[in-house]
């Protein structure tokens, strides 16, 4: 049975966003990508690296 | 304050150009070329010093010029040009106004001030600490101050670019996802933010140390965090020049990527993993564990290597598909033979792709293997590698796209077209020789950043084999050739920009927001640059053959290096 509900442009937009795959939503969000692009190397390289250096015992 | 909504439509490409964006692209491109000129002259003098038969400069001048060459080329030339690319990929490709042009000018002024102050520090003669400026080797405070000002300016410029994406979305100048070339620029900007933040973390305390406000900078801590800046800055280049490859494939051939989804995923792998490659500079530092080293240089980094191989496959693949559609279908390589090799935009791009992949890419993976790295660590192999990536890859791609930018943005005809036609070949040949012979000499143990490998007059000398000296001489000849290629580029670009024949184009007109929404591209170049969707055709047998040649070379060279290693530490 055909859907006879009235739709507004806002509904259309919502429907459209619901239909966008997760990966595309991720790739279309530059600020989320910015967050990931800063956090991943900061954790894997900077923080982990600094923790290893800080953990080196001081020579007596 | 009224928003500048003056746009013009480029008759050559059909792209809409925002007036302040055009001015800022020009300013950043000119600053880049000036940095290239200074860095190139210094490069010539360094080449003539490392060529042992000439050995031109005394040691203090050699180290001064090596410092200036590194900074002018690896930081100022490249990043000024990248900012120009960000404004082009943001404002021009999205057909929208540049966000906050005044702030963009502030960023530009900070970058210029930073570059000038840093060069002043270097040429004073008391800051010959080289590009890396490893503490506790100290430079004049203005050395760090210049770098910090430049970095702050570049960071602001990155956020102007991000703001432009928001403007484009708000004013609906594009539909759905940003074009792939713009997505490549987004990747470059994200890497730039991490890079600059890392630089700030270490350079600001080092500046305070240089003026006596901080007692001590731990050398290992400095090296670890500095490389998150020093090496990641070169990953901005990779993303930017890959974006340029896609742009040129679209401009020249109207090519669409083989699969836009795959290309975007490859850029995502850059965003997540490419910056951690910095760790390969620390593979022989004793304070860091093998877990940290191996994860950062191998396991995770290989995902970024995979991304580069994806781009290296899809860019020529998309060109092949576009060429085959035009009827160049004979055999495996008619599409390549009949490509416009006399057009420097194409030839520069394709030579950049080959040099980056075969020389820079393969050698980079070798250097990232902890065991193999020990064979070549701190030898001249390392500059051999990065002259293949940053110069043959990035610089040549930027040179190629300049030949498009001059008529499209500067609105000048290209002067000396014959010189422009030959320039990419001369430069690529010279720089290939530089890279190959540096890597060859490095494999024989020749150190990098060394004024005199004959150790003349030293009580503890070392004699390198004659082959090493031969390779350094061939590197010198290649360097001269590359300098000639660089001079050809500067002659063509500077003359064209300042004295070239003007191209008459329709002037700037005010475009209201509603008129600027989702502009319909009118020329093939704009349509291809702004289009979405892949070619959905995997019929690119020539490209797959080239990819097999590449993989064979990769595997062979990888195992040859394990053979070298077995000779260093024989297994019994």
């Amino acid at each position: 049975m055909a859907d006879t509900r009235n739709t507004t442009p806002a509904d259309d937009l919502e429907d459209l966003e619901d239909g966008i795959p997760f990966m595309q939503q991720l790739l279309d969000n530059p600020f989320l990508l910015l967050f990931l692009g800063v956090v991943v190397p900061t954790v894997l390289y900077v923080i982990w690296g600094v923790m290893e250096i800080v953990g080196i015992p001081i020579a007596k | 304050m009224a928003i500048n909504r003056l746009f013009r439509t480029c008759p050559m490409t059909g792209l809409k150009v925002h007036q302040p964006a055009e001015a800022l692209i020009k300013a950043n491109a000119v600053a880049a070329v000036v940095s290239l000129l200074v860095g190139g002259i210094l490069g010539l003098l360094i080449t003539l010093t490392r060529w042992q038969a000439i050995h031109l400069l005394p040691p203090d001048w050699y180290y001064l010029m090596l410092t200036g060459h590194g900074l002018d080329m690896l930081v100022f030339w490249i990043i000024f040009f990248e900012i120009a690319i960000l404004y082009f990929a943001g404002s021009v490709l999205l057909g929208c106004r540049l966000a906050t042009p005044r702030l963009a000018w502030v960023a530009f002024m900070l970058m210029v001030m930073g570059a000038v102050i840093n060069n002043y520090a270097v040429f004073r003669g008391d800051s010959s600490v080289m590009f890396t400026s490893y503490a506790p080797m100290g430079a004049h405070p203005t050395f760090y101050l210049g770098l910090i000002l430049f970095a702050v300016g570049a960071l602001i410029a990155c956020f102007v670019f991000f703001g432009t994406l928001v403007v484009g979305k708000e004013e609906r100048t594009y539909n759905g996802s940003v074009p792939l070339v713009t997505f490549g620029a987004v990747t470059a900007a994200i890497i730039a933010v991490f890079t600059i933040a890392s630089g700030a973390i270490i350079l600001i305390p080092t500046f305070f140390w240089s003026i006596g406000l901080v007692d001590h900078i731990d050398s290992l801590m400095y090296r670890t965090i500095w490389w998150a800046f020093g090496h990641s800055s070169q990953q901005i280049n990779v993303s930017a020049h890959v974006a340029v490859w896609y742009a040129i494939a679209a401009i020249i051939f109207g090519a669409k990527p083989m699969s836009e989804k795959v290309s975007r995923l490859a850029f995502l792998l850059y965003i997540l993993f490419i910056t951690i490659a910095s760790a390969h500079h620390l593979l022989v530092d004793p304070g860091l564990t093998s877990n940290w080293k191996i994860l950062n240089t191998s396991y995770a980094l290989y995902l970024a290597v995979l991304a580069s191989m994806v781009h290296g496959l899809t860019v020529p693949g998309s060109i092949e598909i576009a060429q085959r559609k035009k009827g160049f279908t004979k055999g495996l390589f008619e599409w390549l033979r009949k490509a416009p090799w006399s057009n420097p935009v194409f030839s520069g791009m394709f030579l950049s792709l080959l040099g980056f992949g075969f020389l820079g890419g393969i050698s980079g993976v070798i250097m990232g293997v902890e065991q193999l790295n020990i064979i070549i660590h701190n030898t001249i192999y390392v500059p051999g590698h990065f002259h293949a990536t940053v110069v043959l890859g990035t610089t040549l791609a930027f040179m190629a796209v300049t030949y498009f930018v001059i008529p499209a943005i500067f609105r000048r005809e290209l002067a000396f077209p014959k010189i422009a036609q030959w320039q990419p070949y001369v430069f690529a040949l010279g720089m290939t020789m530089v890279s190959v012979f540096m890597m060859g000499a490095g494999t024989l143990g020749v150190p990098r950043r060394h004024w005199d490998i004959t150790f003349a007059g030293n009580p503890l000398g070392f004699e390198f084999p004659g082959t090493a000296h031969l390779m350094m001489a061939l590197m010198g000849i290649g360097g001269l050739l590359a300098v000639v290629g660089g001079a050809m580029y500067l002659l063509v670009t500077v003359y064209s920009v300042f004295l070239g024949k003007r191209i008459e184009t329709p002037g700037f007109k005010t475009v209201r927001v509603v008129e600027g929404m989702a502009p319909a591209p009118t020329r093939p170049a704009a349509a291809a640059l702004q289009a979405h969707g892949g070619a959905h055709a995997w019929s690119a047998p020539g490209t797959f053959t080239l990819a097999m040649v590449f993989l064979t070379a990769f595997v062979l060279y990888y195992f040859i290096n394990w053979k070298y290693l077995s000779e260093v530490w024989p297994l019994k």
Side-chain angles (χ1 to χ4, degrees), chain B residues 114-441:
Chain B
V116 170
I117 290 172
N118 182 269
N119 269 276
Y120 160 77
V122 171
F123 283 98
R124 278 170 53 95
D126 56 358
S127 299
S128 298
V129 291
M130 288 169 282
F131 174 54
T132 43
S133 56
Y134 288 144
M137 190 163 56
H140 191 267
T142 50
F143 179 91
Y144 307 106
L145 182 66
L147 278 179
I148 292 166
L149 288 176
F150 184 86
V152 170
L155 191 61
I156 294 171
C158 287
F159 281 99
V160 169
F161 168 72
F162 285 118
T164 305
L165 299 181
V166 174
V167 168
K169 190 154 193 140
E170 282 298 305
E171 299 186 357
R172 298 190 183 187
T173 62
Y174 66 97
N175 293 319
S177 309
V178 294
L180 183 63
V181 176
T182 307
F183 192 71
V186 170
T187 305
I190 290 170
I191 294 170
V193 171
F194 170 75
T195 302
I196 295 166
S198 306
I201 291 171
I202 200 63
L203 288 173
I204 292 173
T206 310
F207 169 65
F208 288 135
W209 169 68
S210 73
I211 56 175
L213 292 178
V214 169
D215 283 344
H216 172 73
I217 298 285
D218 180 83
S219 58
L220 182 54
M221 194 71 88
Y222 180 93
R223 285 165 59 79
T224 304
I225 301 177
W226 188 89
W227 275 115
F229 161 76
H231 197 266
S232 303
S233 60
Q234 309 318 309
Q235 315 295 15
I236 313 171
N237 305 341
V238 175
S239 312
H241 81 227
V242 169
V244 165
W245 292 348
Y246 281 111
I248 289 175
I251 292 164
I252 303 282
F253 300 96
K256 287 181 173 183
M258 294 173 87
S259 163
E260 192 176 344
K261 281 182 200 167
V262 172
S263 296
R264 281 179 195 262
L265 281 174
F267 276 123
L268 177 65
L269 291 176
Y270 276 175
I271 291 171
L272 297 177
F273 300 116
I274 201 167
T275 42
I276 58 179
S278 311
H280 79 259
H281 291 277
L282 300 150
L283 283 174
V284 300
D285 282 61
L288 296 153
T289 63
S290 284
N291 292 340
W292 181 87
K293 289 174 182 174
I294 290 173
L295 187 126
N296 280 287
T297 58
S298 297
Y299 296 140
L301 174 65
Y302 288 158
L303 295 169
V305 173
L306 175 69
S308 284
M309 292 201 288
V310 166
H311 295 306
L313 179 77
T314 63
V315 173
S318 67
I319 293 172
E320 180 175 355
I321 290 165
Q323 287 281 79
R324 283 182 183 276
K325 272 189 189 163
K326 289 174 190 161
F328 300 117
T329 52
K330 258 193 222 161
L332 281 176
F333 295 115
E334 192 193 18
W335 63 276
L336 195 55
R337 278 201 318 277
K338 298 280 175 68
W341 290 101
S342 58
N343 181 345
V345 182
F346 168 72
S347 61
M349 179 279 267
F350 208 84
L351 293 170
S352 147
L353 191 147
L354 290 177
F356 179 79
F358 278 88
L359 291 177
I362 294 177
S363 59
V365 172
I366 300 301
M367 288 165 56
V369 178
E370 189 178 12
Q371 298 91 327
L372 297 180
N373 183 279
I374 197 72
I375 313 174
I376 46 83
H377 197 91
N378 266 349
T379 68
I380 203 166
Y381 188 101
V382 181
H385 155 75
F386 70 69
H387 278 77
T389 53
V390 181
V391 191
L392 203 46
T394 307
T395 297
L396 191 51
F398 288 2
M399 285 173 166
V401 82
T402 311
Y403 297 125
F404 163 75
V405 168
I406 288 173
I409 299 294
F410 286 87
R411 291 183 273 169
R412 301 275 188 165
E413 280 184 14
L414 212 57
F416 310 118
K418 272 284 163 198
I419 294 179
Q421 188 182 323
W422 281 101
Q423 186 273 330
Y425 297 100
V426 176
F427 189 77
L429 177 63
M431 203 41 72
T432 300
M433 287 176 68
V434 169
S435 300
V436 167
F437 292 118
M438 273 184 172
M439 287 195 255

Side-chain angles (χ1 to χ4, degrees), chain B residues 516-530:
Chain B
M517 283 169 63
T522 52
R523 293 282 186 281
L529 278 166
Q530 295 172 325

Side-chain angles (χ1 to χ4, degrees), chain B residues 432-456:
Chain B
T432 300
M433 287 176 68
V434 169
S435 300
V436 167
F437 292 118
M438 273 184 172
M439 287 195 255
T443 308
L444 295 171
V446 173
R448 66 185 297 198
R449 298 170 160 179
H450 205 288
W451 173 67
D452 179 19
I453 60 165
T454 65
F455 297 91

Side-chain angles (χ1 to χ4, degrees), chain B residues 2-10 14-26 87-102 104-105 160 164 167-168 171 173 408-409 411 506-513 516 530:
Chain B
I3 292 173
N4 181 331
R5 292 193 184 280
L6 287 169
F7 286 83
R8 70 175 177 87
T9 302
C10 173
L15 293 165
K16 278 189 172 178
V17 185
H18 186 217
Q19 189 190 40
E22 182 181 275
L24 279 153
I25 291 168
K26 285 180 181 175
Y87 294 157
F88 179 84
S91 174
V92 180
L93 288 190
L94 297 182
C96 72
R97 66 181 171 83
L98 189 78
T100 63
R102 279 169 197 263
W105 281 112
V160 169
T164 305
V167 168
E171 299 186 357
T173 62
I409 299 294
R411 291 183 273 169
F508 288 98
K509 288 179 186 164
T510 301
V511 176
R512 291 181 300 154
V513 176
Q530 295 172 325

